Amino acid sequence: TVPVSAYPWDGALVPNSDYCNASTPTALTNALVNGVSQNWLGPYNGALYECSFEENIAVLLAGSVRWYEASALTTLWHFGINPFTPADYEAQFTLNKDLFKNYTSYWGRG
């Protein structure tokens, strides 16, 4: 998530967040199999979403899986008694000479 500020002089008033279209796009209800268009979205397939993410989610994470990739009965979250600070969630990265971010820890994995 892109941080926002309450102060206009910071130039960070507009949040940029992930979003998904709630409806299944018509283009995804049929599949082309051996040159024949087939209706493959049956009553038990669940919903399909078209999502846009501000970060690159196609990045392979060495040794860890995302919550939606976890196997059954995996502990996904822990709740703490004391609140966590925003710094606990911030991504850790260094900038190379081209100002490209080299991440050592992505957002939410601090």
Side-chain angles (χ1 to χ4, degrees):
T1 301
V2 175
V4 294
S5 173
Y7 306 108
W9 51 85
D10 287 339
L13 293 175
V14 180
N16 177 18
S17 62
D18 306 336
Y19 65 90
C20 292
N21 295 328
S23 60
T24 301
T26 305
L28 296 178
T29 59
N30 292 315
L32 193 61
V33 179
N34 294 329
V36 177
S37 180
Q38 298 179 3
N39 184 353
W40 66 273
L41 186 62
Y44 303 108
N45 288 87
L48 295 176
Y49 294 97
E50 261 185 356
C51 297
S52 176
F53 302 97
E54 67 186 68
E55 69 276 3
N56 182 2
I57 65 166
V59 174
L60 296 176
L61 301 173
S64 61
V65 295
R66 297 171 181 91
W67 67 267
Y68 53 86
E69 298 170 332
S71 59
L73 303 177
T74 300
T75 301
L76 298 177
W77 295 281
H78 295 279
F79 290 95
I81 294 173
N82 298 316
F84 298 100
T85 65
D88 293 332
Y89 294 96
E90 292 175 357
Q92 305 297 317
F93 61 87
T94 55
L95 291 174
N96 68 10
K97 63 178 179 159
D98 298 323
L99 299 180
F100 182 78
K101 295 177 182 176
N102 294 313
Y103 288 91
T104 55
S105 175
Y106 290 93
W107 187 92
R109 297 184 171 267

XYZ file of all heavy atoms in Angstrom:
863
model
N 0.844 -1.174 0.000
C 0.000 0.000 0.000
C 0.886 1.232 0.000
O 1.870 1.285 0.709
C -0.909 0.004 1.234
O -1.686 -1.180 1.202
C -1.815 1.213 1.257
N 0.489 2.203 -0.769
C 1.229 3.463 -0.832
C 0.787 4.337 0.332
O -0.403 4.571 0.520
C 0.968 4.181 -2.174
C 1.622 5.540 -2.193
C 1.455 3.331 -3.321
N 1.706 4.801 1.170
C 1.312 5.619 2.325
C 0.767 6.971 1.898
O 1.163 7.525 0.874
C 2.609 5.769 3.116
C 3.695 5.530 2.135
C 3.144 4.600 1.097
N -0.167 7.479 2.676
C -0.731 8.808 2.441
C -0.428 9.673 3.645
O -0.087 9.188 4.716
C -2.257 8.748 2.181
C -2.561 8.028 0.895
C -2.977 8.118 3.342
N -0.566 10.969 3.455
C -0.286 11.920 4.516
C -1.445 12.892 4.628
O -2.096 13.231 3.636
C 1.003 12.686 4.213
O 1.191 13.720 5.160
N -1.710 13.362 5.838
C -2.765 14.352 6.056
C -2.299 15.760 5.685
O -3.100 16.685 5.656
C -3.200 14.319 7.517
N -1.010 15.902 5.397
C -0.451 17.221 5.110
C -0.269 17.402 3.610
O 0.494 16.662 2.973
C 0.886 17.377 5.828
C 0.765 17.110 7.315
C 1.297 15.952 7.866
C 0.097 18.002 8.141
C 1.176 15.699 9.228
C -0.037 17.758 9.496
C 0.499 16.604 10.033
O 0.367 16.358 11.366
N -0.951 18.385 3.021
C -0.872 18.578 1.558
C 0.542 18.815 1.051
O 0.880 18.434 -0.060
C -1.739 19.817 1.309
C -2.606 19.937 2.512
C -1.858 19.323 3.659
N 1.408 19.435 1.835
C 2.770 19.735 1.384
C 3.634 18.480 1.238
O 4.674 18.520 0.625
C 3.456 20.739 2.313
C 3.396 20.375 3.759
C 4.246 19.546 4.419
C 2.434 20.806 4.702
N 3.867 19.430 5.735
C 2.753 20.199 5.946
C 1.324 21.652 4.651
C 2.003 20.407 7.090
C 0.597 21.857 5.804
C 0.936 21.240 6.998
N 3.161 17.340 1.762
C 3.883 16.082 1.554
C 3.628 15.510 0.163
O 4.353 14.634 -0.296
C 3.482 15.038 2.598
C 4.062 15.338 3.965
O 5.064 16.083 4.030
O 3.512 14.842 4.958
N 2.567 16.014 -0.510
C 2.249 15.537 -1.857
C 1.809 14.081 -1.899
O 1.987 13.415 -2.914
N 1.241 13.588 -0.809
C 0.820 12.179 -0.744
C -0.595 12.083 -0.193
O -0.850 11.473 0.836
C 1.792 11.390 0.124
N -1.541 12.717 -0.879
C -2.926 12.721 -0.408
C -3.776 11.626 -1.028
O -4.812 11.262 -0.491
C -3.583 14.081 -0.699
C -3.030 15.262 0.089
C -3.670 16.563 -0.389
C -3.280 15.074 1.571
N -3.377 11.107 -2.181
C -4.213 10.140 -2.900
C -3.673 8.729 -2.677
O -2.557 8.421 -3.079
C -4.251 10.463 -4.414
C -5.123 9.462 -5.149
C -4.753 11.880 -4.633
N -4.473 7.862 -2.037
C -4.002 6.493 -1.828
C -4.027 5.692 -3.125
O -4.838 5.943 -4.013
C -5.003 5.919 -0.819
C -6.238 6.717 -1.029
C -5.791 8.082 -1.465
N -3.136 4.763 -3.244
C -3.090 3.852 -4.382
C -3.160 2.458 -3.793
O -2.273 2.031 -3.084
C -1.782 4.042 -5.156
C -1.665 3.077 -6.306
O -2.644 2.496 -6.752
N -0.461 2.876 -6.788
N -4.232 1.762 -4.080
C -4.394 0.461 -3.437
C -4.786 -0.599 -4.450
O -5.109 -0.305 -5.599
C -5.452 0.559 -2.344
O -6.699 0.906 -2.913
N -4.788 -1.824 -3.988
C -5.209 -2.947 -4.812
C -6.728 -2.900 -4.980
O -7.441 -2.407 -4.113
C -4.835 -4.269 -4.141
C -3.364 -4.350 -3.791
O -2.574 -3.647 -4.439
O -3.025 -5.119 -2.894
N -7.207 -3.420 -6.087
C -8.658 -3.515 -6.263
C -8.979 -4.689 -7.172
O -8.149 -5.124 -7.960
C -9.248 -2.222 -6.825
C -8.795 -1.892 -8.225
C -9.496 -2.353 -9.328
C -7.660 -1.131 -8.454
C -9.078 -2.067 -10.612
C -7.234 -0.836 -9.732
C -7.959 -1.304 -10.811
O -7.537 -1.026 -12.083
N -10.180 -5.204 -7.006
C -10.658 -6.304 -7.840
C -12.051 -5.982 -8.347
O -12.862 -5.409 -7.619
C -10.719 -7.614 -7.054
S -9.118 -8.263 -6.576
N -12.319 -6.352 -9.587
C -13.678 -6.252 -10.106
C -14.450 -7.445 -9.573
O -14.014 -8.581 -9.680
C -13.682 -6.272 -11.635
C -12.987 -5.063 -12.213
O -13.028 -3.989 -11.629
N -12.332 -5.237 -13.341
N -15.611 -7.186 -8.989
C -16.369 -8.246 -8.326
C -17.072 -9.175 -9.303
O -17.438 -10.275 -8.942
C -17.386 -7.631 -7.373
N -17.272 -8.750 -10.518
C -18.003 -9.600 -11.452
C -17.046 -10.391 -12.340
O -15.936 -9.963 -12.617
C -18.920 -8.747 -12.325
O -18.159 -7.818 -13.056
N -17.510 -11.537 -12.757
C -16.717 -12.366 -13.653
C -16.787 -11.771 -15.058
O -17.869 -11.640 -15.608
C -17.252 -13.806 -13.682
O -17.208 -14.317 -12.351
C -16.426 -14.679 -14.600
N -15.660 -11.411 -15.643
C -15.681 -10.857 -16.996
C -16.217 -11.886 -17.992
O -15.933 -13.081 -17.883
C -14.212 -10.539 -17.284
C -13.552 -10.526 -15.960
C -14.321 -11.444 -15.083
N -16.996 -11.430 -18.932
C -17.586 -12.306 -19.936
C -16.519 -13.091 -20.680
O -16.713 -14.262 -21.013
C -18.420 -11.476 -20.939
O -19.374 -10.707 -20.200
C -19.156 -12.378 -21.911
N -15.374 -12.474 -20.916
C -14.306 -13.143 -21.660
C -13.764 -14.371 -20.927
O -13.145 -15.229 -21.543
C -13.168 -12.159 -21.920
N -14.010 -14.477 -19.612
C -13.481 -15.592 -18.853
C -14.488 -16.724 -18.640
O -14.174 -17.722 -18.011
C -12.981 -15.110 -17.486
C -11.815 -14.132 -17.527
C -11.443 -13.698 -16.119
C -10.609 -14.731 -18.216
N -15.694 -16.591 -19.155
C -16.694 -17.643 -18.948
C -16.569 -18.768 -19.964
O -17.134 -19.832 -19.768
C -18.120 -17.062 -19.005
O -18.315 -16.443 -20.272
C -18.350 -16.072 -17.885
N -15.844 -18.538 -21.040
C -15.642 -19.563 -22.069
C -14.157 -19.837 -22.241
O -13.332 -18.956 -22.045
C -16.226 -19.137 -23.415
C -17.741 -19.071 -23.366
O -18.383 -19.965 -22.837
N -18.306 -18.009 -23.906
N -13.846 -21.063 -22.598
C -12.459 -21.438 -22.860
C -12.372 -22.027 -24.258
O -13.285 -22.718 -24.714
C -11.984 -22.460 -21.834
N -11.290 -21.750 -24.937
C -11.070 -22.290 -26.275
C -10.268 -23.582 -26.121
O -9.112 -23.574 -25.732
C -10.302 -21.280 -27.125
C -10.257 -21.550 -28.614
C -11.669 -21.552 -29.202
C -9.415 -20.506 -29.307
N -10.923 -24.722 -26.395
C -10.305 -26.034 -26.268
C -10.314 -26.715 -27.630
O -11.378 -26.973 -28.191
C -11.044 -26.908 -25.226
C -10.400 -28.273 -25.116
C -11.087 -26.208 -23.883
N -9.125 -26.968 -28.168
C -8.989 -27.588 -29.491
C -9.786 -26.844 -30.559
O -10.435 -27.447 -31.399
C -9.415 -29.059 -29.449
C -8.488 -29.894 -28.608
O -7.296 -29.612 -28.520
N -9.021 -30.923 -27.980
N -9.745 -25.522 -30.475
C -10.421 -24.704 -31.474
C -11.914 -24.570 -31.273
O -12.606 -23.959 -32.080
N -12.463 -25.143 -30.191
C -13.902 -25.075 -29.932
C -14.133 -24.268 -28.647
O -13.521 -24.541 -27.616
C -14.500 -26.492 -29.764
C -15.975 -26.418 -29.436
C -14.256 -27.313 -31.013
N -15.010 -23.267 -28.723
C -15.333 -22.474 -27.546
C -16.294 -23.257 -26.655
O -17.351 -23.691 -27.094
C -15.975 -21.149 -27.968
O -16.297 -20.382 -26.837
N -15.896 -23.442 -25.397
C -16.714 -24.202 -24.452
C -17.003 -23.360 -23.221
O -16.144 -22.642 -22.735
C -15.996 -25.476 -24.022
C -15.727 -26.427 -25.147
C -14.990 -27.677 -24.662
O -14.747 -27.836 -23.483
N -14.650 -28.551 -25.589
N -18.224 -23.490 -22.713
C -18.578 -22.824 -21.470
C -18.003 -23.658 -20.334
O -18.478 -24.733 -20.035
C -20.094 -22.702 -21.341
C -20.500 -21.929 -20.106
O -19.662 -21.585 -19.282
N -21.782 -21.651 -19.984
N -16.942 -23.183 -19.705
C -16.266 -23.968 -18.688
C -16.522 -23.471 -17.278
O -16.162 -24.113 -16.311
C -14.764 -24.015 -18.943
C -14.082 -22.690 -18.792
C -13.935 -21.740 -19.733
C -13.467 -22.175 -17.611
N -13.271 -20.655 -19.237
C -12.966 -20.906 -17.929
C -13.292 -22.668 -16.331
C -12.315 -20.105 -17.002
C -12.629 -21.870 -15.399
C -12.146 -20.605 -15.752
N -17.147 -22.318 -17.139
C -17.432 -21.786 -15.815
C -18.736 -22.393 -15.321
O -19.809 -21.855 -15.484
C -17.517 -20.262 -15.852
C -17.667 -19.575 -14.497
C -16.456 -19.876 -13.623
C -17.824 -18.098 -14.667
N -18.642 -23.557 -14.731
C -19.813 -24.274 -14.248
C -20.282 -23.766 -12.896
O -19.726 -22.823 -12.334
N -21.283 -24.414 -12.312
C -21.852 -23.937 -11.057
C -20.937 -24.154 -9.845
O -21.210 -23.623 -8.781
C -23.133 -24.764 -10.924
C -22.868 -25.998 -11.713
C -21.971 -25.583 -12.839
N -19.861 -24.914 -9.977
C -19.014 -25.211 -8.834
C -17.621 -24.606 -8.934
O -16.749 -24.939 -8.150
C -18.885 -26.734 -8.660
C -20.224 -27.390 -8.512
C -20.747 -28.149 -9.536
C -20.973 -27.224 -7.356
C -22.002 -28.744 -9.414
C -22.219 -27.811 -7.222
C -22.729 -28.563 -8.249
O -23.954 -29.139 -8.121
N -17.394 -23.718 -9.887
C -16.075 -23.131 -10.063
C -15.812 -21.935 -9.162
O -14.687 -21.487 -9.072
C -15.870 -22.694 -11.517
C -15.711 -23.881 -12.431
O -16.695 -24.409 -12.901
N -14.494 -24.311 -12.640
N -16.828 -21.392 -8.521
C -16.635 -20.197 -7.704
C -16.563 -18.958 -8.571
O -16.936 -18.969 -9.734
N -16.078 -17.876 -8.007
C -16.021 -16.607 -8.722
C -14.639 -16.395 -9.329
O -13.640 -16.860 -8.801
C -16.337 -15.466 -7.767
N -14.605 -15.695 -10.411
C -13.351 -15.277 -11.033
C -13.238 -13.767 -10.856
O -14.215 -13.051 -10.987
C -13.338 -15.619 -12.520
C -13.375 -17.108 -12.864
C -13.463 -17.292 -14.363
C -12.137 -17.803 -12.332
N -12.043 -13.305 -10.562
C -11.835 -11.887 -10.353
C -10.721 -11.375 -11.254
O -9.749 -12.069 -11.496
C -11.452 -11.605 -8.896
C -12.553 -11.897 -7.922
C -12.603 -13.108 -7.244
C -13.551 -10.970 -7.693
C -13.622 -13.379 -6.350
C -14.570 -11.232 -6.802
C -14.600 -12.435 -6.132
O -15.595 -12.694 -5.258
N -10.893 -10.162 -11.707
C -9.843 -9.439 -12.417
C -9.292 -8.443 -11.420
O -9.999 -7.547 -10.988
C -10.422 -8.681 -13.611
C -10.262 -9.358 -14.916
C -10.764 -8.467 -16.056
O -11.293 -7.367 -15.809
O -10.624 -8.899 -17.193
N -8.049 -8.594 -11.017
C -7.484 -7.734 -9.980
C -6.301 -6.922 -10.511
O -5.597 -7.358 -11.410
C -7.023 -8.571 -8.792
S -8.371 -9.447 -7.979
N -6.127 -5.782 -9.914
C -4.984 -4.933 -10.214
C -4.260 -4.664 -8.900
O -4.884 -4.271 -7.917
C -5.458 -3.620 -10.840
O -4.367 -2.771 -11.047
N -2.951 -4.892 -8.888
C -2.162 -4.724 -7.674
C -1.111 -3.654 -7.898
O -0.518 -3.569 -8.969
C -1.478 -6.037 -7.285
C -2.454 -7.160 -7.062
C -2.724 -8.065 -8.064
C -3.103 -7.278 -5.853
C -3.631 -9.096 -7.862
C -4.016 -8.298 -5.635
C -4.274 -9.210 -6.641
N -0.874 -2.851 -6.878
C 0.130 -1.801 -7.015
C 1.540 -2.361 -7.010
O 2.438 -1.787 -7.573
C -0.018 -0.781 -5.893
C 0.309 -1.359 -4.545
C 0.030 -0.399 -3.428
O -1.134 -0.113 -3.198
O 0.996 0.036 -2.799
N 1.737 -3.530 -6.381
C 3.051 -4.153 -6.378
C 3.053 -5.351 -7.319
O 2.006 -5.844 -7.694
C 3.449 -4.591 -4.959
C 2.637 -5.748 -4.413
C 1.321 -5.365 -3.776
O 0.956 -4.185 -3.785
O 0.631 -6.264 -3.285
N 4.210 -5.793 -7.678
C 4.344 -6.937 -8.569
C 4.135 -8.212 -7.762
O 4.984 -8.599 -6.966
C 5.730 -6.929 -9.214
C 5.914 -8.069 -10.179
O 5.000 -8.856 -10.418
N 7.090 -8.162 -10.753
N 3.000 -8.889 -7.950
C 2.723 -10.098 -7.173
C 3.287 -11.345 -7.836
O 3.204 -12.434 -7.273
C 1.214 -10.281 -6.910
C 0.459 -10.504 -8.221
C 0.663 -9.109 -6.139
C -0.937 -11.004 -8.020
N 3.856 -11.195 -9.012
C 4.436 -12.343 -9.706
C 5.854 -12.645 -9.222
O 6.486 -13.561 -9.700
C 4.434 -12.100 -11.208
N 6.340 -11.879 -8.265
C 7.690 -12.075 -7.747
C 7.734 -13.369 -6.947
O 6.881 -13.611 -6.089
C 8.092 -10.887 -6.842
C 9.422 -11.136 -6.181
C 8.123 -9.607 -7.637
N 8.712 -14.205 -7.227
C 8.873 -15.433 -6.463
C 9.487 -15.106 -5.107
O 10.479 -14.389 -5.025
C 9.757 -16.414 -7.219
C 9.209 -16.909 -8.549
C 10.235 -17.804 -9.231
C 7.916 -17.667 -8.346
N 8.883 -15.618 -4.062
C 9.379 -15.375 -2.719
C 10.099 -16.625 -2.241
O 9.489 -17.670 -2.058
C 8.220 -15.045 -1.778
C 7.391 -13.822 -2.195
C 6.179 -13.682 -1.304
C 8.245 -12.579 -2.129
N 11.383 -16.525 -2.060
C 12.198 -17.685 -1.683
C 11.810 -18.197 -0.307
O 11.848 -17.469 0.673
C 13.673 -17.304 -1.705
N 11.399 -19.453 -0.252
C 11.142 -20.109 1.021
C 9.839 -19.762 1.703
O 9.588 -20.209 2.810
N 8.989 -18.957 1.087
C 7.725 -18.630 1.736
C 6.606 -18.587 0.700
O 6.846 -18.459 -0.492
C 7.823 -17.289 2.467
O 8.108 -16.256 1.550
N 5.406 -18.719 1.186
C 4.239 -18.668 0.304
C 3.316 -17.556 0.786
O 3.330 -17.187 1.957
C 3.474 -20.018 0.272
C 4.309 -21.113 -0.342
C 3.026 -20.419 1.658
N 2.527 -17.047 -0.117
C 1.533 -16.043 0.245
C 0.354 -16.736 0.924
O 0.158 -17.923 0.779
C 1.085 -15.299 -1.001
C 2.208 -14.527 -1.663
C 1.744 -13.985 -3.009
N 2.783 -13.258 -3.681
C 3.652 -13.788 -4.541
N 3.611 -15.065 -4.825
N 4.571 -13.045 -5.114
N -0.481 -15.964 1.630
C -1.584 -16.568 2.387
C -2.515 -17.354 1.496
O -3.024 -18.400 1.873
C -2.347 -15.504 3.178
C -3.096 -14.514 2.335
C -2.628 -13.308 1.905
C -4.414 -14.641 1.824
N -3.578 -12.681 1.135
C -4.691 -13.475 1.077
C -5.396 -15.619 1.909
C -5.906 -13.274 0.441
C -6.607 -15.410 1.263
C -6.845 -14.241 0.549
N -2.740 -16.892 0.263
C -3.672 -17.590 -0.626
C -3.023 -18.784 -1.326
O -3.695 -19.533 -2.014
C -4.275 -16.627 -1.653
C -3.269 -15.821 -2.438
C -2.685 -16.329 -3.585
C -2.900 -14.559 -2.016
C -1.759 -15.599 -4.296
C -1.980 -13.808 -2.729
C -1.424 -14.342 -3.867
O -0.505 -13.621 -4.568
N -1.721 -18.973 -1.134
C -1.035 -20.131 -1.685
C -0.785 -21.203 -0.618
O -0.290 -22.281 -0.919
C 0.320 -19.709 -2.262
C 0.221 -18.724 -3.400
C 1.571 -18.139 -3.797
O 2.471 -18.040 -2.946
O 1.712 -17.780 -4.971
N -1.133 -20.906 0.627
C -0.844 -21.818 1.739
C -1.733 -23.063 1.665
O -2.863 -23.015 1.181
C -1.062 -21.104 3.064
N -1.205 -24.158 2.176
C -1.971 -25.402 2.194
C -2.974 -25.377 3.348
O -2.916 -24.528 4.239
C -1.028 -26.595 2.329
O -0.288 -26.483 3.513
N -3.888 -26.333 3.353
C -4.916 -26.425 4.383
C -4.278 -26.581 5.762
O -3.201 -27.160 5.906
C -5.829 -27.604 4.087
N -4.932 -26.050 6.770
C -4.537 -26.126 8.181
C -3.248 -25.367 8.497
O -2.638 -25.584 9.535
C -4.424 -27.581 8.647
C -5.693 -28.428 8.477
C -5.427 -29.858 8.898
C -6.847 -27.840 9.261
N -2.832 -24.468 7.607
C -1.661 -23.630 7.854
C -2.069 -22.433 8.706
O -3.098 -21.820 8.446
C -1.068 -23.120 6.527
O -0.678 -24.237 5.745
C 0.117 -22.206 6.755
N -1.285 -22.105 9.729
C -1.543 -20.903 10.518
C -1.179 -19.699 9.662
O -0.032 -19.556 9.244
C -0.720 -20.898 11.816
O -1.055 -22.060 12.568
C -0.988 -19.655 12.632
N -2.156 -18.847 9.407
C -1.923 -17.712 8.519
C -1.537 -16.440 9.269
O -0.705 -15.678 8.806
C -3.170 -17.446 7.674
C -3.588 -18.580 6.738
C -4.876 -18.216 6.020
C -2.490 -18.882 5.740
N -2.163 -16.176 10.396
C -1.926 -14.942 11.114
C -1.857 -15.192 12.603
O -2.405 -16.160 13.121
C -3.056 -13.925 10.853
C -3.123 -13.470 9.458
C -2.336 -12.533 8.852
C -4.026 -13.921 8.453
N -2.678 -12.377 7.549
C -3.740 -13.228 7.268
C -5.051 -14.842 8.415
C -4.417 -13.408 6.092
C -5.741 -15.026 7.228
C -5.417 -14.314 6.095
N -1.193 -14.271 13.283
C -1.149 -14.250 14.737
C -1.608 -12.868 15.180
O -1.274 -11.866 14.550
C 0.265 -14.488 15.263
C 0.790 -15.852 14.951
N 0.473 -16.953 15.693
C 1.594 -16.296 13.951
C 1.066 -18.018 15.187
N 1.748 -17.644 14.120
N -2.378 -12.826 16.243
C -2.816 -11.550 16.791
C -1.994 -11.240 18.027
O -1.730 -12.119 18.846
C -4.310 -11.595 17.162
C -5.198 -11.642 15.965
C -5.655 -12.849 15.477
C -5.546 -10.481 15.309
C -6.463 -12.902 14.356
C -6.351 -10.526 14.188
C -6.813 -11.726 13.714
N -1.601 -10.000 18.172
C -0.805 -9.590 19.313
C -1.619 -8.756 20.278
O -2.652 -8.179 19.919
N -1.147 -8.668 21.496
C -1.823 -7.854 22.510
C -1.507 -6.384 22.273
O -2.371 -5.532 22.345
C -1.385 -8.292 23.924
C -1.885 -9.716 24.186
C -1.914 -7.333 24.981
C -1.368 -10.321 25.469
N -0.257 -6.085 21.972
C 0.159 -4.708 21.740
C 0.046 -4.377 20.259
O 0.293 -5.234 19.404
C 1.601 -4.503 22.206
C 1.744 -4.738 23.692
O 0.922 -4.283 24.476
N 2.779 -5.467 24.081
N -0.322 -3.140 19.938
C -0.450 -2.769 18.524
C 0.898 -2.796 17.806
O 1.938 -2.570 18.413
C -1.018 -1.351 18.569
C -0.672 -0.840 19.919
C -0.610 -2.024 20.830
N 0.845 -3.084 16.525
C 2.036 -3.066 15.690
C 2.165 -1.691 15.055
O 1.173 -1.044 14.738
C 1.936 -4.131 14.598
C 1.845 -5.527 15.133
C 0.631 -6.175 15.214
C 2.978 -6.193 15.565
C 0.534 -7.453 15.716
C 2.899 -7.471 16.072
C 1.676 -8.112 16.143
N 3.370 -1.247 14.852
C 3.581 0.052 14.221
C 3.620 -0.113 12.701
O 3.898 -1.209 12.201
C 4.912 0.675 14.685
O 5.982 -0.151 14.224
C 4.968 0.794 16.203
N 3.346 0.945 11.966
C 3.441 0.851 10.506
C 4.818 0.389 10.029
O 4.936 -0.307 9.034
C 3.146 2.274 10.038
C 2.291 2.846 11.112
C 2.814 2.231 12.400
N 5.861 0.731 10.767
C 7.222 0.322 10.386
C 7.377 -1.196 10.411
O 8.221 -1.744 9.701
C 8.249 0.965 11.310
N 6.547 -1.885 11.210
C 6.603 -3.346 11.263
C 6.164 -3.978 9.944
O 6.453 -5.140 9.694
C 5.714 -3.887 12.389
C 6.235 -3.517 13.764
O 7.456 -3.331 13.910
O 5.411 -3.412 14.688
N 5.435 -3.222 9.133
C 4.898 -3.757 7.879
C 5.633 -3.264 6.642
O 5.427 -3.777 5.560
C 3.416 -3.374 7.742
C 2.554 -4.014 8.779
C 2.225 -3.345 9.942
C 2.082 -5.302 8.604
C 1.435 -3.952 10.898
C 1.295 -5.912 9.553
C 0.974 -5.223 10.705
O 0.203 -5.820 11.641
N 6.437 -2.242 6.796
C 7.067 -1.624 5.632
C 8.054 -2.558 4.941
O 8.727 -3.353 5.583
C 7.780 -0.340 6.044
C 6.825 0.747 6.468
C 7.537 1.974 6.983
O 8.788 1.970 7.065
O 6.838 2.939 7.320
N 8.104 -2.426 3.637
C 9.049 -3.220 2.849
C 10.474 -2.764 3.133
O 10.722 -1.592 3.407
C 8.736 -3.062 1.370
N 11.401 -3.705 3.065
C 12.819 -3.399 3.240
C 13.486 -3.522 1.870
O 13.371 -4.562 1.228
C 13.458 -4.388 4.218
C 12.757 -4.465 5.560
C 12.811 -3.164 6.324
O 13.847 -2.511 6.362
N 11.699 -2.784 6.927
N 14.162 -2.456 1.443
C 14.785 -2.478 0.119
C 15.966 -1.529 0.072
O 16.123 -0.666 0.920
C 13.783 -2.115 -0.970
C 13.197 -0.737 -0.825
C 13.830 0.375 -1.362
C 12.004 -0.555 -0.148
C 13.295 1.638 -1.228
C 11.461 0.703 -0.001
C 12.105 1.806 -0.542
N 16.791 -1.732 -0.945
C 17.869 -0.803 -1.254
C 17.649 -0.336 -2.691
O 17.039 -1.041 -3.499
C 19.256 -1.467 -1.133
O 19.290 -2.625 -1.967
C 19.538 -1.865 0.306
N 18.149 0.843 -2.997
C 18.033 1.377 -4.352
C 19.346 1.173 -5.084
O 20.417 1.476 -4.549
C 17.705 2.865 -4.318
C 16.313 3.246 -3.815
C 16.202 4.755 -3.714
C 15.252 2.692 -4.725
N 19.273 0.668 -6.319
C 20.502 0.547 -7.096
C 20.749 1.849 -7.847
O 20.010 2.827 -7.680
C 20.446 -0.676 -8.027
C 19.438 -0.526 -9.138
O 18.886 0.556 -9.369
N 19.171 -1.603 -9.845
N 21.758 1.900 -8.682
C 22.132 3.150 -9.358
C 21.053 3.653 -10.310
O 20.996 4.840 -10.607
C 23.448 2.970 -10.111
C 23.376 1.950 -11.223
C 24.692 1.842 -11.955
C 24.544 0.789 -13.041
N 25.504 0.927 -14.071
N 20.163 2.754 -10.772
C 19.068 3.155 -11.658
C 17.798 3.475 -10.885
O 16.726 3.609 -11.463
C 18.768 2.038 -12.664
C 19.948 1.738 -13.554
O 20.652 2.700 -13.927
O 20.172 0.553 -13.858
N 17.924 3.573 -9.567
C 16.812 3.822 -8.654
C 15.772 2.702 -8.695
O 14.591 2.915 -8.453
C 16.162 5.182 -8.940
C 17.085 6.390 -8.780
C 16.346 7.673 -9.081
C 17.692 6.433 -7.389
N 16.217 1.505 -9.002
C 15.355 0.325 -8.970
C 15.436 -0.277 -7.575
O 16.512 -0.393 -7.006
C 15.803 -0.697 -10.021
C 14.934 -1.906 -10.084
C 13.710 -1.860 -10.730
C 15.336 -3.087 -9.480
C 12.907 -2.979 -10.778
C 14.535 -4.212 -9.521
C 13.310 -4.152 -10.171
N 14.291 -0.660 -7.016
C 14.259 -1.190 -5.657
C 14.609 -2.677 -5.643
O 13.978 -3.465 -6.334
C 12.879 -0.996 -5.040
C 12.517 0.456 -4.841
C 11.113 0.602 -4.289
C 10.747 2.055 -4.135
N 9.358 2.221 -3.679
N 15.602 -3.046 -4.853
C 15.961 -4.440 -4.613
C 15.437 -4.804 -3.227
O 15.974 -4.356 -2.221
C 17.475 -4.634 -4.672
C 18.013 -4.386 -6.062
O 17.473 -4.881 -7.032
N 19.069 -3.597 -6.147
N 14.372 -5.594 -3.196
C 13.702 -5.916 -1.940
C 14.382 -7.066 -1.206
O 14.746 -8.066 -1.800
C 12.243 -6.291 -2.206
C 11.383 -5.119 -2.595
C 11.210 -4.765 -3.918
C 10.758 -4.356 -1.628
C 10.426 -3.696 -4.288
C 9.972 -3.270 -1.971
C 9.805 -2.955 -3.306
O 9.025 -1.878 -3.645
N 14.524 -6.895 0.100
C 14.934 -8.005 0.971
C 13.739 -8.517 1.755
O 13.738 -9.641 2.224
C 16.043 -7.558 1.934
O 15.595 -6.423 2.662
C 17.311 -7.223 1.171
N 12.698 -7.691 1.891
C 11.461 -8.064 2.558
C 10.347 -7.219 1.962
O 10.468 -5.994 1.885
C 11.570 -7.830 4.062
O 10.348 -8.088 4.696
N 9.265 -7.859 1.535
C 8.160 -7.137 0.929
C 7.202 -6.622 2.002
O 7.236 -7.055 3.144
C 7.426 -8.030 -0.075
C 8.243 -8.287 -1.298
C 9.051 -9.404 -1.383
C 8.253 -7.383 -2.348
C 9.831 -9.646 -2.496
C 9.031 -7.605 -3.466
C 9.813 -8.740 -3.544
O 10.582 -8.953 -4.634
N 6.300 -5.721 1.627
C 5.353 -5.125 2.545
C 4.571 -6.210 3.273
O 4.109 -7.173 2.680
C 4.386 -4.202 1.787
C 3.498 -3.447 2.703
C 3.739 -2.212 3.211
C 2.246 -3.864 3.241
N 2.716 -1.836 4.037
C 1.784 -2.839 4.068
C 1.478 -5.006 3.108
C 0.583 -2.908 4.763
C 0.278 -5.093 3.791
C -0.149 -4.044 4.609
N 4.417 -6.041 4.571
C 3.654 -6.971 5.364
C 4.420 -8.201 5.799
O 3.878 -9.100 6.432
N 5.701 -8.278 5.461
C 6.496 -9.451 5.811
C 7.658 -9.075 6.720
O 8.628 -9.798 6.796
C 7.024 -10.114 4.544
C 5.921 -10.633 3.672
C 6.485 -11.367 2.479
N 5.423 -12.030 1.765
C 5.064 -13.280 1.972
N 5.677 -14.007 2.857
N 4.078 -13.811 1.282
N 7.549 -7.922 7.406
C 8.639 -7.415 8.238
C 8.965 -8.236 9.445
O 8.543 -9.271 9.738
